[in-house]
Amino acid sequence: MNASHLFDKKYVFFGGKGGTGKTTCAAAFSLKASRMGKKLLLVSTDPAHSLSDIFDKRIGPKGAQLAEKLFALEIDPEAESKKYMEGIKRQLSGVVSNVVVEALQKQIDAAYMSPGSEEAAIFDKFIEIMEQAEDSFDIVVFDTAPTGHTLRLLSLPKLLDLWMDSLIEKRKKALKLLERASGTKSDDPILRILQKRKDMFEKAWEVLSDRDKTAFVFVVTPERLPIFETERALKYLENSGISVAGIVVNSIIPSEADGTFMEKRRELQKKYLREIREKFGDKVLAEIELLDNDVWGLDGLCTIADMLVLQK
Ligand SMILES: Nc1ncnc2c1ncn2[C@@H]1O[C@H](COP(=O)(O)OP(=O)(O)O)[C@@H](O)[C@H]1O
Ligand SMILES: [Mg+2]
């Protein structure tokens, strides 16, 4: 049982149900990797901004350095979405006249707004970060929002790629008619933009589905609902061609916790731990105990990191 092989990946995503410990594990993993010499970028896509709270330092969208080789960024989906739409308007006003923009508004809206502008905006930001970090960081860790959001986000590149195909096809047909009517051939800027976005989504998909480069880790607690959610998420991801590298079980009640109440909870957890081992087998990378304290700051994170990485 060990999560240290994740140090060889370029992108590591931490996902799972809300409150299971995604942010805690992503932060602990990142701190550990950076202390072992990896230059690391930790990115949060959850609007809750828990990273700042855990490290007790304001991070925000501009980012901050948290330790010698550890840097972090907090993406704000709403602000990203706004910036994204403004960027698109700017991009288009540079290449076509207002009349044309108006005439193409529907197609443009469809290209950029669907299937959900906020997720599309985060996704664009993802790609931007991946491109920028490719050479400047050894590992990029993503602390994601709860399962549903993350899964939708990860299924975007394929969906958007298909969507781009249909828009490109439509645009080509329209251009053919125009060319026939005018007798001239045009180098269409809209087609160029659509093609560029298609290429970008294809590249993103290549990275996400490359198991040597990218790892998805699910954090689960020994409880009924998180187990169900993880099971569903695993199936969903594997069906869409993304393999899950492992599962971290968090918040296990330690054997020294006393009292009948704790004993009862511990017995319950034992049953769920057995279930987790049966269901997920060798995908279980680490088991982390529930600490008797809040986890924050470098010391708290180190305790978690040791359980996450240095396992028997
Ligand atoms: N092993 C643990 N021991 C004690 N508290 C923990 C542990 N793991 C997480 N927590 C606490 O549980 C809460 C939720 O954790 P968090 O990492 O924010 O979850 P998520 O990001 O999945 O929503 C936080 O207050 C965190 O400090
Ligand atoms: Mg979180």
Side-chain angles (χ1 to χ4, degrees), residues 22-23 46 50 143-144:
K22 296 179 290 298
T23 305
D46 190 341
S50 315
D143 166 30
T144 69

PDB file of all heavy atoms in Angstrom, residues 22-23 46 50 143-144, ligand 2:
ATOM      1  N   LYS A  22     -10.623  15.568   0.528  1.00  0.00           N
ATOM      2  CA  LYS A  22      -9.892  15.782  -0.734  1.00  0.00           C
ATOM      3  C   LYS A  22      -8.843  16.872  -0.584  1.00  0.00           C
ATOM      4  O   LYS A  22      -7.676  16.686  -0.952  1.00  0.00           O
ATOM      5  CB  LYS A  22     -10.861  16.227  -1.852  1.00  0.00           C
ATOM      6  CG  LYS A  22     -11.891  15.225  -2.228  1.00  0.00           C
ATOM      7  CD  LYS A  22     -12.804  15.769  -3.311  1.00  0.00           C
ATOM      8  CE  LYS A  22     -13.711  16.874  -2.820  1.00  0.00           C
ATOM      9  NZ  LYS A  22     -14.629  16.446  -1.760  1.00  0.00           N
ATOM     10  N   THR A  23      -9.293  18.019  -0.039  1.00  0.00           N
ATOM     11  CA  THR A  23      -8.377  19.148   0.081  1.00  0.00           C
ATOM     12  C   THR A  23      -7.231  18.799   1.035  1.00  0.00           C
ATOM     13  O   THR A  23      -6.063  19.077   0.744  1.00  0.00           O
ATOM     14  CB  THR A  23      -9.139  20.396   0.565  1.00  0.00           C
ATOM     15  OG1 THR A  23     -10.216  20.621  -0.337  1.00  0.00           O
ATOM     16  CG2 THR A  23      -8.251  21.618   0.597  1.00  0.00           C
ATOM     17  N   ASP A  46     -12.247  24.325  -6.426  1.00  0.00           N
ATOM     18  CA  ASP A  46     -13.433  24.382  -5.584  1.00  0.00           C
ATOM     19  C   ASP A  46     -13.626  25.812  -5.075  1.00  0.00           C
ATOM     20  O   ASP A  46     -12.713  26.368  -4.466  1.00  0.00           O
ATOM     21  CB  ASP A  46     -13.229  23.413  -4.398  1.00  0.00           C
ATOM     22  CG  ASP A  46     -14.506  23.219  -3.616  1.00  0.00           C
ATOM     23  OD1 ASP A  46     -15.410  24.071  -3.744  1.00  0.00           O
ATOM     24  OD2 ASP A  46     -14.598  22.229  -2.869  1.00  0.00           O
ATOM     25  N   SER A  50     -10.744  26.240   0.362  1.00  0.00           N
ATOM     26  CA  SER A  50     -10.229  25.661   1.609  1.00  0.00           C
ATOM     27  C   SER A  50      -8.713  25.628   1.656  1.00  0.00           C
ATOM     28  O   SER A  50      -8.136  25.524   2.735  1.00  0.00           O
ATOM     29  CB  SER A  50     -10.744  24.236   1.778  1.00  0.00           C
ATOM     30  OG  SER A  50     -12.099  24.171   1.500  1.00  0.00           O
ATOM     31  N   ASP A 143      -6.922  19.910  -6.664  1.00  0.00           N
ATOM     32  CA  ASP A 143      -7.876  19.639  -5.588  1.00  0.00           C
ATOM     33  C   ASP A 143      -9.237  20.009  -6.169  1.00  0.00           C
ATOM     34  O   ASP A 143      -9.520  21.177  -6.400  1.00  0.00           O
ATOM     35  CB  ASP A 143      -7.521  20.512  -4.381  1.00  0.00           C
ATOM     36  CG  ASP A 143      -8.644  20.555  -3.360  1.00  0.00           C
ATOM     37  OD1 ASP A 143      -9.391  19.564  -3.255  1.00  0.00           O
ATOM     38  OD2 ASP A 143      -8.772  21.585  -2.666  1.00  0.00           O
ATOM     39  N   THR A 144     -10.068  19.003  -6.433  1.00  0.00           N
ATOM     40  CA  THR A 144     -11.291  19.285  -7.201  1.00  0.00           C
ATOM     41  C   THR A 144     -12.517  19.487  -6.310  1.00  0.00           C
ATOM     42  O   THR A 144     -12.502  19.168  -5.130  1.00  0.00           O
ATOM     43  CB  THR A 144     -11.596  18.144  -8.197  1.00  0.00           C
ATOM     44  OG1 THR A 144     -11.981  16.995  -7.445  1.00  0.00           O
ATOM     45  CG2 THR A 144     -10.398  17.805  -9.044  1.00  0.00           C
TER      46      THR A 144
HETATM   47 MG    MG B   2     -12.218  20.566  -0.573  1.00  0.00          MG
END
